[in-house]
Amino acid sequence: MIDLFTIVMTAAGLIFFAAGTLGLIRFPDTHSRLHALTKADNLGLGLIALGLAVQVPGPADLFKLILIWALAILAAGATAQLVARIAAPAGLGDDEKAQDGGSDGQERRRP
Amino acid sequence: MSSWYLLVATGLLLTIAGALWRVWRGPEQADRMMAAQLVGTGGVGVILLLAAMSGDWAMLDVALVLALLAALAAIAFVKSTRGEGEGDPEDDTPEDRASEDGAPR
Amino acid sequence: MIASIFDLTLCLVILAAAGAATLGRDAFMAVVFYIVYGILIAMAWLRLGAIDVALAEAAIGAGLTGVLLLAALARVARKAGKEPASAASVPATTIATALAALVITIGIAYAFLTLPEPQGLQGHVAENLAASGAENPVTAVLLNFRGWDTLLESIVLLAALLGIWTLAQDEAWGGRAGLRHVTRPGSVLAQFGRILPPIGLLVGVYLVWAGSKQPGGAFQGGTVLAAVWIVTIMAGLMQAPRVADRALRAALVIGPVIFLALAVAGIFAGAFLVLPPAHAGWLILAVEAVLTLSIAATLAMLVFGPPEPEEKR
Amino acid sequence: MTRKQGLIAAKRAVFLAGIWLVLTGADPYGIAIGLVAVVAATGLSLTLMPPRAGVALWPLAIMVPGFLWRSLLGGVDVARRVFNPRLPLSPGWKIMRTRLPDGGKAALGGEFSLMPGTLVAGSKGDRLLIHVLDTRQDITGDIAREEACFERALRDRETVPDGKREAR
């Protein structure tokens, strides 16, 4: 039963990794590819870690698995933004008006 | 179970091989760099599976180090694309720059 | 069966990454392939059961070397004013290189095939582990049975740093190592640099601590600590130290110096570099601690590079 | 150091001590060196991020299930597009204002980079630069909801003096 859970989760993780790679190959532009990579791969890693979490011998290794995934998420959240930024067109967002933003479109003050 | 772990790990290696194609192809430096990020994430996955397969959970430390340092190369890369390798990718206007002597030691 | 398929796939992917890193025309691409190669090699070491080496490869090969090479690439481009041109290939040079590579390959293949069946040293190490003062056989070998190698390695790192510092211009000497990094205080990079380093510091210390009884040790932990320091500087939160800074210089040499002093002291106990078995345990721990400090400082300074003239910063 | 700052420092020390226990598997032989390491790490954290503003933990904790669920949706969304032979994409940029402070902006950006269809490319002033896989997707509601969650977590930062720029 436990093994079945592991098999299902790791298989699902592999599918998302495959989706990430396929997106990296198929998507037409740099930013779309970055979408595929960031979301699919970290989900894939999370599912693999979840699948293995029921196999570890003790709670210490379970928490270590969580820590590994949390670090991967932190790194992904930061690098995705940084790489997306250097690949972004220059001058994007330079005009003061927000295009779609704000529920009311009004200037918001920082608290 | 260990056969299954290796099977999934082999699948992950194939997705890594796909990422290698994107490193080779580019065209942007950002494309190459993020494909390397994919290899890093996939590598963490493979190591987790190898740990489960061998039952030697000390291998998790290798995955931990890889996950911890995953962002290092990407940060060095984004820094090298702005200014003379010392700037911030979000730093577009001179007045955004930190003033005077910068950070405390 | 499936194990062979995995190993074969891994070998093929490693060969592809290595081939692309050497054959690619684009220097940036070669660096990225080299980073990828480091990650893959770490997996290969795990398959060979060498977790200590895998840890070192993950930290140095996949982590630090990538930063070092990217920084070097940016530096070359800055000095040359453009992307470094790949060297023009002269037929004679190419042929000579290929011939030399062929001769070396044949030599290695000959040596490998004619070697007697290796007995391995695991038996000897296991027999004497109790006397070494360490529970992790790799640490026992590195710091006791073959302390020579480790001592010389830490000195080699220092020599490499001196080599890099000789690249500094006269007017820059004594100044801060490398470029001055600035970031927008609220940027993603700065925020990341605030959150990761405390956790990385713990992981680095943990690896050194773990080294006495399980995979880990001064090199692995020192590399992680160096990486943590590099992140805080690249995030613009700290400045690199001046190369003339006394505290920095003390940190750089303390590991090799203490190790050497201990080795010399060993003469009185019997022979050079012999640790008295009764005290080997805590002596190894002490040497590990100071070596970690020196390795971390040296590796980080290697990445920062030589001091740059003031007006460039 | 005020009482409030001491509290923030103590919270961080507890968090880091927890990480140390996870790393060592709560090995009693690691306690002594762990104390030194945790003190050093807390000191480093306080240097890098002065204890000017506290972060309320429970609003962040109740965000975790939603975050996990939507990052699952994010992966599924990408997989759906990738495996579709017609490759349904119409990528574009959206610029959104946010009233979150710097740390909150970076965290919101990281979170939205893992959510379905959105990828944040950092910020300019108070504007988040968001790349979307499908320009017809309406993200205003999502942004406002997550923004409100982060605001609750960061609410007590007003109680501590905060310069316009980080005082350095």
Side-chain angles (χ1 to χ4, degrees), chain D residues 1-31:
Chain D
M1 187 184 274
T2 66
R3 193 161 157 271
K4 178 154 195 85
Q5 286 172 326
L7 192 69
I8 294 169
K11 268 191 201 169
R12 286 190 205 172
V14 168
F15 174 74
L16 291 166
I19 288 184
W20 177 263
L21 291 178
V22 169
L23 288 173
T24 59
D27 187 333
Y29 290 107
I31 299 286

Side-chain angles (χ1 to χ4, degrees), chain C residues 112-137:
Chain C
F112 178 76
L113 292 174
T114 55
L115 269 182
E117 188 67 27
Q119 297 299 311
L121 291 168
Q122 287 102 323
H124 294 287
V125 172
E127 274 170 35
N128 294 299
L129 195 58
S132 72
E135 289 172 55
N136 176 8

Side-chain angles (χ1 to χ4, degrees), chain C residues 56 60 142 150 153-154 157 217-224 291-292 295 299:
Chain C
I60 298 176
L142 282 180
T150 312
E153 267 165 22
S154 62
L157 274 183
F219 269 90
Q220 292 88 343
T223 309
V224 169
L291 268 184
T292 307
I295 289 167
L299 287 177

Side-chain angles (χ1 to χ4, degrees), chain C:
Chain C
M1 168 63 182
I2 179 72
S4 318
I5 294 176
F6 176 84
D7 290 340
L8 200 64
T9 315
L10 183 57
C11 287
L12 286 177
V13 179
I14 288 175
L15 280 178
T22 40
L23 297 177
R25 288 252 160 232
D26 182 298
F28 180 81
M29 180 176 86
V31 169
V32 174
F33 269 116
Y34 188 76
I35 297 170
V36 169
Y37 174 81
I39 301 171
L40 295 168
I41 288 290
M43 293 180 213
W45 284 120
L46 284 183
R47 279 298 288 159
L48 295 171
I51 305 183
D52 290 84
V53 192
L55 263 178
E57 185 61 43
I60 298 176
L64 221 53
T65 319
V67 182
L68 187 76
L69 291 175
L70 286 169
L73 199 61
R75 184 182 160 86
V76 170
R78 197 165 66 236
K79 301 283 177 196
K82 57 177 171 51
E83 168 95 358
S86 39
S89 68
V90 186
T93 327
T94 315
I95 293 169
T97 314
L99 269 180
L102 189 68
V103 169
I104 293 173
T105 311
I106 291 174
I108 293 176
Y110 174 77
F112 178 76
L113 292 174
T114 55
L115 269 182
E117 188 67 27
Q119 297 299 311
L121 291 168
Q122 287 102 323
H124 294 287
V125 172
E127 274 170 35
N128 294 299
L129 195 58
S132 72
E135 289 172 55
N136 176 8
V138 178
T139 305
V141 170
L142 282 180
L143 287 174
N144 198 333
F145 304 147
R146 300 212 48 183
W148 262 116
D149 283 359
T150 312
L151 177 61
L152 291 177
E153 267 165 22
S154 62
I155 295 174
V156 162
L157 274 183
L158 209 53
L161 180 62
L162 291 183
I164 283 186
W165 279 1
T166 57
L167 295 175
Q169 294 167 22
D170 278 351
E171 69 268 26
W173 179 249
R176 291 193 189 287
L179 298 162
R180 206 187 123 215
H181 290 263
V182 283
T183 50
R184 206 184 76 194
S187 69
V188 175
L189 190 51
Q191 299 299 341
F192 185 74
R194 290 189 173 99
I195 292 176
L196 192 76
I199 301 172
L201 177 70
L202 289 180
V203 173
V205 176
Y206 160 70
L207 287 178
V208 182
W209 171 81
S212 65
K213 59 184 178 58
Q214 67 194 59
F219 269 90
Q220 292 88 343
T223 309
V224 169
L225 293 179
V228 165
W229 194 13
I230 293 166
V231 168
T232 63
I233 288 183
M234 287 200 299
L237 301 168
M238 283 186 182
Q239 290 289 306
R242 297 185 176 280
V243 296
D245 189 304
R246 276 170 199 278
L248 170 72
R249 291 186 175 190
L252 290 174
V253 299
I254 188 169
V257 163
I258 299 258
F259 203 172
L260 255 182
L262 208 62
V264 172
I267 293 175
F268 299 102
F272 186 72
L273 242 169
V274 167
L275 302 180
H279 302 289
W282 69 268
L283 282 178
I284 283 186
L285 212 63
V287 171
E288 286 255 325
V290 286
L291 268 184
T292 307
L293 186 65
S294 290
I295 289 167
T298 314
L299 287 177
M301 295 310 288
L302 283 173
V303 170
F304 297 149
E308 299 273 341
E310 283 294 333
E311 66 272 13
K312 288 257 181 75
R313 296 196 234 128

Side-chain angles (χ1 to χ4, degrees), chain D residues 81-118:
Chain D
R81 292 176 202 272
V82 167
F83 291 127
N84 187 326
R86 287 186 294 109
L87 210 61
L89 291 177
S90 70
W93 289 93
K94 291 194 177 190
I95 316 294
M96 303 277 252
R97 279 186 196 288
T98 171
R99 47 181 191 269
L100 286 175
D102 288 330
K105 252 187 317 217
L108 186 73
E111 193 201 348
F112 265 79
S113 299
L114 294 164
M115 297 290 111
T118 53

